[in-house]
Structures are given as structure tokens and as C-alpha cells.
């Protein structure tokens, strides 16, 4: 591996090195005014965002929103019509080979070969990445250990389950120990167990200091894994920030579940008279109310009022706002503003 | 992971050292995969079964020509049909299995991928050929066999097999089975016709010094064709930031020069062998150049922007169909020049107007691009251009055949009307040969068609053209 940059050579000696980002390092991913269209259809429309090193960022959007196009451009597999994309400060159009050394790409459909075993698959990609001799064997062993594929080494790839295949694909993406991982829908089609395993592996990678850019439809999963979320809709970025921010930003109201010793109807009666409170639905022992505004002080005020009005409360808790709801609300707002713009 | 399993893993991974690290990763992968395929195993068993049958037939009836025919039939089937056919899916299978992108993410460029696949298939072909050598030796001891001639024939079949495999691998870069099928069949017909033509001339000139010239010519065609089609496949699967066009186009021009040089050395008059071969070589390269996607990446064009000389070469050597148009101009000039030279050196008194027929033939090559620019501008430079090009060529071919049939039954004025209404280059080409028509008309029409065919795509893509010139004139 004489022609690999020094940092990569160091990481192939078997010892685990945590990539600690330096303040002077350029961001892991920089996208500036990126536009890409296919036969007149605008897949990505003038988007800009930046991802710092060591972050795990979720990329969310409906089918056809432009996620895969953006990710493919990042992975040097497609090119922008205009705009600039940099990975670790390197332009993806001008220096694709250099970018490929920095990036590990896992597509939504992992590639399989017929008549090839797991270890042969990894061996092929290790060779193709330029590893030779003992170093190649070390890389293969390391990756197989990390992805727990040892017991499947001699199994033909086309006989693997989807979950095993995804692990193999992740292993392949990690062979050259990339700084940035771009994972396109890695959890799609996985059973719950495989999903948990994959999530676990991604968490370890994040702890190792790798930048992970991951797309998924399952927002709750991304919420658990990611430092921030990037929402894309019809080729435009509509939100970039932490999931907490998103929840707070969008929550002008909040839902509170209340359980009473009294009959549930009493809660409905009380809510109809209380200002800023709307009864949403009944539960077995109470119901859910919507409180507006959603500030902590207002919620505390509602609880005090309920007690002073003589309700026997046995449980009062704020329901966590779902990210899906927040996402749909943003989409609704965009749709509304565009309708207003048209009219 | 405990220590035992780590040790097991290391043993397992060490097994992967069965092939040297110096070998191409693609070659190693293809050999591992290829030798496990049913097709390889079945073909190998069938080959040896047939060889045994041939041997038994030869033993029972020594000197029987049937066993000889059967012997060569089996070898030709395996090396010229089965092996190239295995290349038919070589690159497209990577698309089907979603692995092409994964390969792009490695250090393998398009050329190393196609070369690795071709080498692997040929290595298996050599394995086949080597495995029949004992039968060759036994046949020799049975008599009536010229071992040297057999060996030369086997070598020539091997060269043919290598070329045919390169063609199928190159064409397999198109994921659409119809496109690669049509491309492969078209090329097979073109090269078979060329092969038959060269063989005939070779037989007619047997024993003369020209024979050597023709043998060199066959080797040149084999080497150029093999290289070109592998490079063709490589360029079609590579990312647009890779430049394969320059080497491809230079190789075509170099092969043209060598062909020309062989003509000078050995002389091929009175048959215009080298102009015909040159036209086939340039035709293949030009069709490829005219259907290349159009990336105007500064990084690709930059090496040509150093000085006026490099800029001039960049005009027709940079990737993309825009420079392909300028390459067409260079190719046309080269072809016409070789014809004029052949005419003068052979003293065959080629009519000046006959050059117009060749110019019209050149127009056939560029005409579909003008149609694409006019009616399908969004497809210009996309990956569909080649498919569209083939479709338009097929439609024009069909129209030409119909017009020819109509002209054969039409009278003078009707003929002129048909030609006026359908000024397709292919129609004009045979109309020009029709003696009833006025040649002066064609002296005007054919060059005008050339100018139109070149001008329309350039005008329709003036923005890209301006960008291309801007990149080319931008100093480093």
C-alpha cells in the first residue's frame, strides 16, 4: 500500500485508531448549490448543506425526493449539473479517485455475485482497493470480525439472507477504512433483529469517529442513531438540524395523556371549559388533551388547574412528538405556502 | 470473536492467496467465478467427449476427412462461438447484479475491468485449446495431418476468438440486451465481410510478397480490434471524468497510419484493400466518437489547453460527441487522402467524382447524429444516444432498401423525384451511381449534406460548444 496516503497506511496495521477531527480539518461533506436534473426533471434543486467530521446525519425524504441522487454524487457515481460537492475538502468532480479513498459507499441494493463466497467477495474488493499480501488478509479478517461474518465465510453470497448481505455490504464499504460512510437505505427490507444489529454496527462506527451519512424511511431509527437530520423534499432541503430542534420548532401544541380515578367523561367536560386545552380522544382510564402553547410552564399550569378543579389524577405525562408528524407538518406547510403563492 | 475463530479466519483468508496479488483483481474474480459456471464445465466435458469421438472415428477409418471436419467444427464452435458468447453478458451482468457502482468505488478503472474480464475468458479459452493439444498430437501420429498447419490454424482461430471476445465484452457495456445484440450482430457481419474480403485477396495473392502484407494486415486488424473494443467497453462503463476517448481515437488513427504504411510497403493494387480496411477502422471509431456522452469537465479537457498545438488535438481527441464531430472530419479527410494516394500509386484512374460516393458513405455515419440533434435534443450526449443511433441507422437502412426497390421500377423523372424527396446519404450514394442522373447535381448535393450533417448538431448544441471551446482555451 505504498501509494496510499499516510493516514490510511497507519490504519491498516491492526490497531484501532479513533479519528478525532481537528478544528482545521475541512468538513466531511460540503454541498453548495447542488443541482442535478435528468431529462428535464429536477432531481436535486440548488441544495446546500454541510456535515462536520464525526457526525452521524440522517437523510430523510420521500421516494424520489433526491436522496439517492445526492448520495450518488457524493460517492462520485454521478455528477452535478451545477454546484460544488466536496468530501473532506476534495471536489468530487475534479478528484473522484481521491474522494473514493475517503468514502465508503453502501447502495440501497447491495450487489451480489453468483458462484462467489463471502470471503472471495471481500478478497476481490480488497484486491481492487489495492491491498496486497498480508495486509489484504489483515483487512479481510478485521472486517469479517467486525461484521461478524466469520461463520459465513464459505457461504455463497447469493444464499445469504438480506440482513447478512447488508452486513457483508457494510464490511465491503469498510475495507479501506474510509473517513466518511454514505449509506443509502441500509435498513430497508431488514427484519427487526437485523435492523438492531445494523444499528449497533453504525453506532460503533460513529464512536470510532467516522462521519456517517445515512438515508432511511424509518425516522424513529434515524432519531436514535443520528446527531442531526436532513430533510429533503422534491429536490430541496427543508430542514437541517437535530431531531430535538425539529420537534420543538414544530410543536406549537403538545399532547398530554391523562389517567383519572374518575370516569373518563369528566376529563372531556373539564377540557371543554379550560382555556388553551382541547380534548383529543378517550382512553380506557382517561384521555389525551392538546395543550396550546406547548411551553413547559403552560403544561405545568394545566396540571395545577386540573388538581385545583378537583380531578383525581393518577397519571399525567407529555407524549413525545413523533418525528413523522413533524416531517408531515413541514410538508403540509410547504404545500400550503406554495398554494398561497400560486393563488 | 474468540481467538480460535480469529485463527480460523486467518487460515481462511490465507486461502485467498491462491492467486498472486500481482494478478488483476478482476482476472482473479472472473477465474474463480468463471470456472464454477455450468457453461464452462459443460463446454469442457462436451469438448473432450467430441474429441474422443473424433479420435475414435479417425482410428476406425484413418484418412477419413469427416473426422477432420468434425474436429475443426468442435474447436471453432467452442473458441469462436461459445467463448465470445460468454462475454456477451460480461459487463452488463455487473449492472444486473448492482455491482458496477461498487467496482467504480475501488481503484479499478473501466479499462482494468474490461481487460480483466477479457483475459479471464481468454485464459479459459487457452485452457480449452491446450487441453485439445494431445488430440492434435495423436491425430498427427495417425497420419494425413500437417501438424504445423494445424497449429497455425489453431493460432489464427485463437486470434479470431480473442477479437470476437473483445467485441462481445465491449458491446456488453450496454445493459439493454437488444442494443448489445444488434451491435454485436452488426459488428460480426462487418468483420466477417472484411475477413472474407481480405482472405479472398490473400488466397489470390498466395505465394507473393503481398501475402506477408496481408498476414500483417490480419494481425493489425486483430490487435486494433481487440484493443479498441475493450477500450470501447471501458469508456462506456467508466465515470465521465475518465478520459478513454483520446487513446481510442489515437489508436484508430495509428491503425489507419499502419494500414497505410503496409500498403506502401507491400502494395495492394489493383484491389483497394487498405482504403477499405481504413474505412472500416475509421467507421467503427467514428460511430463510437459520435455517440459518446458529453462531459465537459474542465479536468478532462485541461491537458489539452496548454498551447495551440494541444488545443488543436483536443478539438478531436477529447471525450464526447462534440469533439467526435471534429474527429469525423479528420477521419473523412484521412479516408479521402488514402483513396487519392491509392489511386495515384496504383494508377487505377479513380474518377474524381467517385470520391463523392465515398463522401456520401461518410455522411451515412454522421447523418443519425443530425437527426438526434434535430428531433431528440434531450438525448444528445446521454447514454441512450448509441441505442438511438442504431435505431435511426436501422430505419434509414430499411428506407434505403425500399427506395432502391422503387427506383428500380421507376423511370427517369420519377427517379429524380424520389431522390429529391429523400435526400438520405445512403439513398444519394446509390443514386449517384445511377448513370441516368446528372452528376453535377450530386457535386452540389453531397458536400451540402456533409455540411448540414456537421452543422446541425453544432448549431443545436452551441451552448455546449461554447463551453467546450471555453474549457479548451482556458489555460492551466
Amino acid at each position: 500500500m505504498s501509494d496510499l496516503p499516510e493516514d490510511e497506511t497507519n490504519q491498516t496495521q491492526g490497531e484501532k485508531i479513533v479519528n478525532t477531527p481537528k478544528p482545521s480539518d475541512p468538513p466531511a461533506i460540503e454541498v453548495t448549490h447542488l443541482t442535478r436534473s435528468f431529462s428535464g426533471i429536477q432531481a436535486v434543486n440548488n441544495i446546500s448543506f454541510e456535515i462536520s467530521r464525526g457526525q452521524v446525519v440522517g437523510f430523510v425524504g420521500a421516494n424520489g425526493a433526491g436522496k439517492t441522487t445526492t448520495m450518488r454524487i457524493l460517492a462520485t457515481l454521478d455528477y452535478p449539473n451545477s454546484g460544488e460537492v466536496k468530501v473532506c475538502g476534495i471536489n468530487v468532480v475534479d478528484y473522484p479517485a481521491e474522494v473514493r479513498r475517503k468514502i465508503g459507499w453502501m447502495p440501497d441494493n447491495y450487489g451480489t455475485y453468483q458462484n462467489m463466497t463471502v470471503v472471495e467477495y471481500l478478497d476481490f474488493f480488497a484486491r481492487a482497493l489495492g491491498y496486497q499480501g498480508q495486509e489484504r488478509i489483515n483487512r479481510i479478517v478485521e472486517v469479517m470480525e467486525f461484521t461478524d461474518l466469520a461463520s459465513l465465510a464459505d457461504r455463497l453470497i447469493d444464499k445469504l439472507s438480506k440482513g447478512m448481505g447488508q452486513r457483508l455490504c457494510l464490511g465491503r464499504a469498510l475495507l479501506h477504512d474510509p473517513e466518511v460512510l454514505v449509506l443509502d437505505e441500509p435498513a430497508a427490507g431488514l427484519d427487526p433483529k437485523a435492523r438492531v444489529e445494523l444499528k449497533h454496527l453504525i453506532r460503533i462506527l460513529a464512536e470510532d469517529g467516522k462521519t456517517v451519512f445515512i438515508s432511511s424511511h424509518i425516522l424513529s431509527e434515524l432519531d436514535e442513531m443520528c446527531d442531526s437530520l436532513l430533510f429533503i423534499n422534491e429536490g430541496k432541503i427543508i430542514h437541517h438540524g437535530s431531531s430535538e430542534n425539529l420537534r420543538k420548532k414544530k410543536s406549537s401544541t403538545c399532547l398530554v395523556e391523562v389517567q383519572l380515578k374518575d370516569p373518563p367523561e369528566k376529563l372531556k367536560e373539564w377540557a371543554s371549559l379550560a382555556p388553551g386545552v382541547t380534548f383529543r380522544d378517550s382512553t380506557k382510564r382517561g384521555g389525551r388533551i392538546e395543550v396550546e402553547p406547548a411551553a413547559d410552564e403552560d403544561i405545568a399550569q394545566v396540571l395545577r388547574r386540573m388538581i385545583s378543579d378537583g380531578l383525581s389524577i393518577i397519571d399525567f405525562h407529555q407524549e413525545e412528538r413523533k418525528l413523522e408528524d413533524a416531517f408531515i407538518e413541514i410538508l403540509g406547510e410547504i404545500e400550503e405556502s406554495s398554494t398561497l403563492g400560486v393563488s | 470473536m474468540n481467538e480460535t475463530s480469529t485463527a480460523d479466519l486467518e487460515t481462511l483468508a490465507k486461502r485467498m492467496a491462491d492467486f498472486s496479488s500481482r494478478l488483476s483483481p478482476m482476472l482473479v474474480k472472473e477465474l474463480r467465478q468463471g470456472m464454477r459456471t455450468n457453461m464452462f464445465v459443460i463446454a469442457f466435458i462436451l469438448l473432450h467427449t467430441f474429441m474422443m469421438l473424433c479420435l475414435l472415428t479417425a482410428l476406425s477409418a484413418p484418412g477419413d476427412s469427416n473426422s477432420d471436419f468434425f474436429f475443426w467444427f468442435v474447436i471453432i464452435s467452442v473458441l469462436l462461438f461459445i467463448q465470445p458468447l460468454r462475454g456477451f453478458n460480461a459487463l452488463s451482468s455487473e449492472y444486473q447484479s448492482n455491482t458496477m457502482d461498487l467496482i467504480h468505488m475501488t481503484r479499478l478503472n473501466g479499462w482494468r475491468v474490461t481487460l480483466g474480464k477479457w483475459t479471464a475468458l481468454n485464459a479459459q479459452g487457452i485452457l480449452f485449446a491446450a487441453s485439445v493439444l494431445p488430440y492434435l498430437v495423436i491425430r498427427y501420429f495417425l497420419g494425413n495431418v500437417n501438424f504445423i498447419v494445424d497449429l497455425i490454424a489453431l493460432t489464427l482461430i485463437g486470434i479470431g476468438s480473442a477479437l470476437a471476445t473483445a467485441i462481445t465484452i465491449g458491446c456488453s457495456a450496454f445493459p439493454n440486451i437488444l442494443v448489445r445484440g444488434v451491435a454485436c450482430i452488426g459488428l460480426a457481419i462487418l468483420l466477417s465481410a472484411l475477413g472474407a474480403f481480405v482472405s479472398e485477396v490473400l488466397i489470390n495473392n498466395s505465394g507473393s510478397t503481398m501475402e506477408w502484407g496481408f498476414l500483417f494486415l490480419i494481425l493489425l486488424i486483430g490487435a486494433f480490434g481487440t484493443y479498441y473494443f475493450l477500450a470501447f467497453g471501458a469508456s462506456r462503463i467508466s465515470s465521465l471524468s475518465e478520459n478513454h476517448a483520446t487513446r481510442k481515437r489515437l489508436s484508430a488513427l495509428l491503425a489507419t497510419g499502419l494500414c497505410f504504411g503496409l500498403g506502401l510497403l507491400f502494395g495492394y493494387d489493383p484491389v483497394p484493400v487498405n482504403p477499405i480496411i481504413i474505412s472500416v477502422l475509421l467507421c467503427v471509431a467514428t460511430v463510437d466518437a459520435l455517440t459518446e456522452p458529453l462531459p465537459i469537465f474542465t479536468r478532462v479537457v485541461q491537458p489539452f489547453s496548454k498551447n495551440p498545438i494541444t488545443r488543436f488535438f483536443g478539438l478531436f481527441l477529447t471525450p464526447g460527441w462534440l469533439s467526435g464531430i471534429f474527429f469525423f472530419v479528420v477521419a473523412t479527410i484521412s479516408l479521402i487522402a488514402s483513396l487519392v494516394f491509392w489511386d495515384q500509386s496504383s494508377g487505377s484512374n479513380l474518377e474524381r467524382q467517385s470520391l463523392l460516393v465515398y463522401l456520401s458513405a461518410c455522411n451515412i455515419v454522421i447523418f443519425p447524429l443530425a437527426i438526434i440533434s434535430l428531433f431528440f435534443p434531450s438525448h444528445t450526449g446521454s447514454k441512450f444516444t448509441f441505442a438511438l443511433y442504431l435505431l435511426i441507422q436501422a430505419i434509414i437502412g430499411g428506407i434505403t432498401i425500399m427506395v432502391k426497390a422503387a427506383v428500380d421500377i421507376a423511370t427517369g423523372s420519377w427517379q429524380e423525384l424520389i431522390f429529391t424527396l429523400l435526400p438520405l446519404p445512403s439513398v444519394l450514394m446509390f443514386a449517384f451511381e445511377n448513370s441516368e442522373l446528372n452528376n453535377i447535381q450530386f457535386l452540389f448535393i453531397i458536400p451540402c449534406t456533409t455540411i448540414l450533417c456537421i452543422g446541425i448538431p453544432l448549431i443545436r448544441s452551441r451552448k455546449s460548444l461554447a463551453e467546450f471551446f471555453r474549457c479548451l482555451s482556458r489555460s492551466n
Side-chain angles (χ1 to χ4, degrees), chain B residues 109 111-112 224 227-228 231 234 242-254 292 304 317-319:
Chain B
N109 58 21
W111 171 250
R112 287 182 70 192
F224 166 75
Y227 168 77
Y228 195 87
E242 283 179 32
N243 176 8
H244 294 271
T246 305
R247 266 175 286 172
K248 271 192 301 179
R249 294 180 196 180
L250 275 177
S251 74
L253 293 175
L254 180 71
E292 270 182 0
F304 293 96
L317 291 179
T318 45

Side-chain angles (χ1 to χ4, degrees), chain A residues 190-230:
Chain A
L190 295 188
D191 59 46
K193 186 174 170 269
R195 238 176 232 173
V196 170
E197 284 170 357
L198 188 75
K199 211 156 54 178
H200 175 66
L201 292 178
I202 291 169
R203 261 198 218 121
I204 296 172
L205 291 169
E207 281 164 19
D208 275 0
K210 294 203 187 301
T211 309
V212 185
F213 189 42
I214 177 170
S215 78
S216 175
H217 286 299
I218 305 153
L219 289 172
S220 54
E221 271 184 7
L222 286 181
D223 192 21
E224 288 169 37
M225 274 190 286
C226 301
D227 300 314
S228 65
L229 294 172
L230 197 63

Side-chain angles (χ1 to χ4, degrees), chain B residues 434-446:
Chain B
N434 191 315
S435 56
E436 286 180 37
L437 296 172
N438 185 358
N439 281 346
I440 294 167
Q441 287 175 3
F442 294 100
L443 280 173
F444 175 73
I445 294 171
I446 291 173

Side-chain angles (χ1 to χ4, degrees), chain B residues 321-322 325-326 373 454-462 465:
Chain B
W321 63 267
L322 259 181
I325 294 176
F326 297 108
S373 305
I454 293 171
I456 290 170
L458 290 179
I459 292 167
R460 294 283 289 176
S461 308
R462 52 193 178 279
L465 188 67

Side-chain angles (χ1 to χ4, degrees), chain B residues 309-355:
Chain B
I309 298 166
T310 54
R311 273 180 215 134
F312 168 73
F313 283 107
L315 205 60
F316 58 94
L317 291 179
T318 45
W321 63 267
L322 259 181
S323 65
I325 294 176
F326 297 108
F327 182 75
F328 165 79
V329 175
V330 173
T332 306
I333 293 168
S334 307
L335 179 63
I336 302 287
S338 77
L339 272 168
V340 172
F341 186 82
W342 168 78
D343 176 42
Q344 287 179 352
S345 60
S346 66
S348 59
N349 296 323
L350 179 79
E351 285 180 38
R352 291 284 174 264
Q353 286 166 353
S354 296
L355 291 175

Side-chain angles (χ1 to χ4, degrees), chain A residues 233 261 267 343:
Chain A
N233 183 53
K261 216 176 165 188
L267 179 68
S343 62

